[in-house]
Every structure is written in structure tokens, then in C-alpha cells.
Amino acid sequence: MSLAGLKKQINKANQFMSEKIAGVKGTELDDEFLEMERRTDATAKLVDDVINRTQEYLQPNPASRAKLWTVNSISKIRGQTKNAAYPQPEGILGDTMLKHGRDLGETSNFGLGMIEAGEALKQMADVKYALEDNVKQNFLEPLHQLKEKELKEVAFHRKKLSGRRLDYDCKRRKQAKGKGEPAGRHGAAAGSSVGEEEIRAAEEKFEESKNLAETAMFNLLENDVEQICQLASFSEALYNYHRQCGDILQGLVETLSEKRQRAAQQSRDAHVPKRVTSQREENSHRLSPSAGSGSSSLNSLELHPPVSQSAFQRPASPGFPPSSPSQRPYCKGVYDFDAENDGELSFHEGEVIYLLSRIDENWFEGELHGTRGLIPVNYVEVVVDVPKAGSLN
């Protein structure tokens, strides 16, 4: 740095400290210039905030943004040109729905509906990627250029203007301070080393910087047409994105409505849950000897209830006994019943219970495995009813 440059830096620092500490007033600029400075500062802040918030809108997850930035930086260092894409939440949710919908299978209406919803969300993710590319190209990139070129140029001229103003004011203050002292050899006051020529040169440079800064701010602030066009491009991209998403969702709603109606119209077969021991009993029955081999146990009797022989016998007459063993009244359990009170008989679904008598319209007296007790009428299916005359004790 030259001696003149060093003196200028000292003058600027001197004037700055005098204004901040001693309250010395510097040269005031006109109101129009100050208003242009205010609008320029507002524009710079607007550009910074809009760029950041637009990026957050396109990529809302900060953790994913940080990870994506790291991956792309590493790829750039390695010389890889293809950058990783931001994981859109619609795409993530769509993949999840597709996976679980396929796991349910094509026989599940709910699974098919999940597949349709997953495909729709994947389409919305593709539309979001197209929106991101459009906004970056037609909105964010022009804002970056505005920030890196026009705003930087304005900031450069304003900083230079501030420095020249401080230098000019410092020289004027020094000149005014030494005016009362005897003049020196070169026409300057004895207590000051600042002459008229130096003051005039500092003033010219100050005026030059002001004109450059004011022109740069004017060009920036009057460029509304281009900036509004960029904002219109952003709005059009948003409109197209939401319109396409609306079309996708409308088709999805119509498809799911049709599937819902189709599912409601399907006939549903009644389902009776199997007992836990039913498979074991079935397997043991297959391995047991034939029922006609001579000695049948009580378990085989329960699995194969007695068949009424009334179709093969002649009607009862006074000379015949009132009942034969094959006509013994019995019923089958329709539901499991656990005895809650003394005198009641517990049984399971499918078990055969011999009927001894009808107590009333709600209860029978029955026998199972040699144990007698009361059984509820609505828990069994009567195969051979007890005679109306009374009991078979």
C-alpha cells in the first residue's frame, strides 16, 4: 500500500471514530438517495429469504437436505456428474403402500386399494420432481444471479462511497480546524496539512462514487418487469403442479369409490372359527380303528353320534317297548359352554350330549361322559328330542 493510500485509510478510521464516539456529523446525502438505499437493503434481504424458503418448500426435510448436500459434494469431488435426487415424501409413502398392498395379495380389496394409492403417490412424486426442476431453472437461478451480480455491484459501489465520504469529511474537518492559524508556505493553514486541491479531489471522488452507487441502485430497483416475469413463472409452475396432483387424486378417488362399491356388493360366506383341538381330534380319528370293529369307546361315540333307526323300524305300538337304544334322545353342542353354577354341565362345540329331560323352555338335563347336569337350550342343536311325556331316567 502506498503512503497516500495509508493516509486515506487513517483518515477514514479517524472520521469513523469521531462520528461514532464524539458525535461528529458527516456529510448527509439527499432523501431520495437514502430511500433508494432502504429499498435496496429490503431487496437484498428479500432475495436471501425467498431463496432459502423456496428451497425449504421444495425440500422440506432439513436432515435429507443436509445428507443430499453431503452426497452431492462427495460426488463432485470424485468427478461424478450425476447428483442424487431428494427423496420426496410422496414417493416414500407410495413405495410403502405398494409394498404392503402387494403383501396382502390380489384377493384383498384393501390390498388392491393400497396399490392404487401407492401408484398415485408415486405419480405425484414425479410431478414434484418436475416442479423442482422448473422452479430451480426459472425462479431460483435468476434470483441467484441477481444476488451475485446486481446486488454485489451495488454493495461494492456503496462501500466505496462510504469510504470516500469518510475521507472527504475527515479532510474537511482538518481544514476547518486549522483555519484560524497563520497560512503556511503552500496556502494551507499552519495547523493543517490539507490544501484546497486535496479537498477538491476528495470531493470529486465522493461525487463520482455517489453517482455510480445511485445509478446501480436505480437500475436494480427499476428492473421490476424481469423480476415479475420470474415470479409469474414460479406461480405458473405451482399451478401446474397442483392441477396435475388434483387430476391424479381425482382419478384415485374415483377408482377407490368403484372398488368400495364392488367390495360391498360381494357375497360373504359365513365363517365359523375352528377349535384349537379340532385338527388334533381329526388326526386321531383317522388313526383310530374302525367304529364297527366291536368295542366302540365313548370318544368315538361323540365323534360319530348315533344314527336314528326310526326309518328302518315300524311305528311303535302298545306291544313294543317305548324306546330302543338307537332312539335315545341326544343333542350336539353348537357353542362351548362353561358351567358357572353348581348343577350345570360343561361341554364343547360338536360334543354329543344325551338328553335326560327338559326342565323348562331354557334348560335340558343331559349326560356327558357319565356326568349329569343342566345344559342351556340355546347352546345345543337337538337331534333326537326327549318325549313330551317327561324324562328318561
Side-chain angles (χ1 to χ4, degrees):
M1 181 182 293
S2 64
L3 181 61
L6 179 60
K7 288 178 64 176
K8 185 180 294 185
Q9 294 299 324
I10 293 174
N11 288 339
K12 289 193 291 185
N14 187 354
Q15 180 65 22
F16 180 80
M17 296 301 295
S18 298
E19 291 180 2
K20 294 298 181 182
I21 298 176
V24 176
K25 298 190 78 174
T27 302
E28 295 183 355
L29 301 174
D30 57 273
D31 293 340
E32 183 180 359
F33 185 89
L34 295 177
E35 176 63 18
M36 293 177 69
E37 282 190 319
R38 186 195 66 79
R39 292 176 58 192
T40 300
D41 292 337
T43 302
K45 184 172 179 56
L46 178 149
V47 170
D48 279 337
D49 288 347
V50 169
I51 288 176
N52 293 332
R53 296 298 177 264
T54 303
Q55 290 174 342
E56 291 176 5
Y57 171 77
L58 296 175
Q59 300 176 355
N61 191 329
S64 298
R65 286 201 310 272
K67 181 179 179 180
L68 182 65
W69 181 85
T70 303
V71 171
N72 290 338
S73 299
I74 295 174
S75 299
K76 189 178 296 185
I77 294 174
R78 293 176 177 175
Q80 299 175 354
T81 58
K82 186 176 181 181
N83 292 331
Y86 176 83
Q88 298 293 350
E90 294 88 352
I92 296 174
L93 179 57
D95 288 335
T96 302
M97 288 186 172
L98 285 172
K99 175 182 179 300
H100 294 292
R102 289 164 181 162
D103 289 343
L104 286 176
E106 297 182 356
T107 58
S108 170
N109 290 315
F110 181 51
L112 294 176
M114 291 291 287
I115 292 175
E116 292 289 343
E119 293 289 353
L121 287 170
K122 293 282 287 181
Q123 294 177 23
M124 291 175 62
D126 293 338
V127 176
K128 188 71 174 288
Y129 283 124
L131 168 69
E132 186 176 345
D133 294 339
N134 191 340
V135 171
K136 285 182 178 179
Q137 180 178 357
N138 298 321
F139 185 63
L140 288 179
E141 188 61 32
L143 287 180
H144 278 294
Q145 293 179 0
L146 178 65
K147 177 181 177 180
E148 296 298 324
K149 293 183 178 179
E150 285 90 340
L151 286 173
K152 275 193 173 182
E153 180 183 358
V154 170
F156 169 77
H157 288 304
R158 288 177 64 187
K159 184 177 180 180
K160 197 167 187 178
L161 171 64
S162 177
R164 287 182 172 180
R165 183 194 67 78
L166 290 173
D167 180 59
Y168 171 68
D169 287 341
C170 180
K171 290 178 178 178
R172 283 184 57 199
R173 184 167 56 84
K174 287 183 178 181
Q175 184 188 48
K177 185 177 179 181
K179 270 188 177 181
E181 300 180 6
R185 181 183 303 176
H186 300 288
S192 172
S193 60
V194 180
E196 291 294 335
E197 292 294 331
E198 194 172 354
I199 293 290
R200 191 179 301 110
E203 184 178 4
E204 289 177 358
K205 289 183 178 181
F206 176 42
E207 288 288 347
E208 179 188 4
S209 293
K210 179 181 180 297
N211 292 335
L212 290 174
E214 190 168 349
T215 302
M217 289 190 294
F218 177 80
N219 293 334
L220 172 69
L221 296 174
E222 293 301 318
N223 197 19
D224 289 343
V225 175
E226 183 178 355
Q227 294 165 1
I228 291 176
C229 288
Q230 296 162 6
L231 187 60
S233 299
F234 175 67
S235 302
E236 184 179 1
L238 287 179
Y239 169 74
N240 291 331
Y241 164 70
H242 288 288
R243 180 181 56 79
Q244 294 177 31
C245 288
D247 294 340
I248 293 172
L249 292 175
Q250 183 179 2
L252 174 62
V253 170
E254 294 174 356
T255 301
L256 293 179
S257 179
E258 293 176 0
K259 289 186 177 296
R260 178 180 59 82
Q261 295 177 359
R262 195 178 303 120
Q265 293 173 357
Q266 287 181 350
S267 60
R268 300 180 181 179
D269 298 332
H271 176 72
V272 179
K274 292 183 178 180
R275 292 170 49 199
V276 177
T277 59
S278 61
Q279 186 66 31
R280 186 172 68 248
E281 291 177 354
E282 182 179 351
N283 293 337
S284 63
H285 172 66
R286 290 175 181 172
L287 298 175
S288 63
S290 174
S293 60
S295 60
S296 61
S297 65
L298 185 58
N299 289 334
S300 64
L301 181 62
E302 292 175 358
L303 291 173
H304 301 280
V307 179
S308 174
Q309 301 294 326
S310 59
F312 303 98
Q313 294 179 347
R314 60 183 179 179
S317 64
F320 285 87
S323 175
S324 62
S326 61
Q327 291 178 316
R328 187 176 180 182
Y330 72 96
C331 63
K332 291 182 179 179
V334 179
Y335 309 103
D336 293 345
F337 176 71
D338 295 324
E340 298 179 354
N341 301 308
D342 294 338
E344 295 178 351
L345 181 64
S346 299
F347 58 87
H348 295 294
E349 175 191 352
E351 287 188 313
V352 175
I353 308 154
Y354 288 109
L355 299 177
L356 303 178
S357 64
R358 178 185 288 271
I359 304 301
D360 54 28
E361 60 181 5
N362 296 320
W363 296 91
F364 283 116
E365 183 183 10
E367 180 182 349
L368 178 63
H369 304 315
T371 303
R372 296 187 177 189
L374 300 179
I375 59 175
V377 173
N378 56 354
Y379 274 67
V380 298
E381 177 186 1
V382 177
V383 180
V384 179
D385 201 355
V386 295
K388 294 182 180 180
S391 62
L392 295 173
N393 293 326

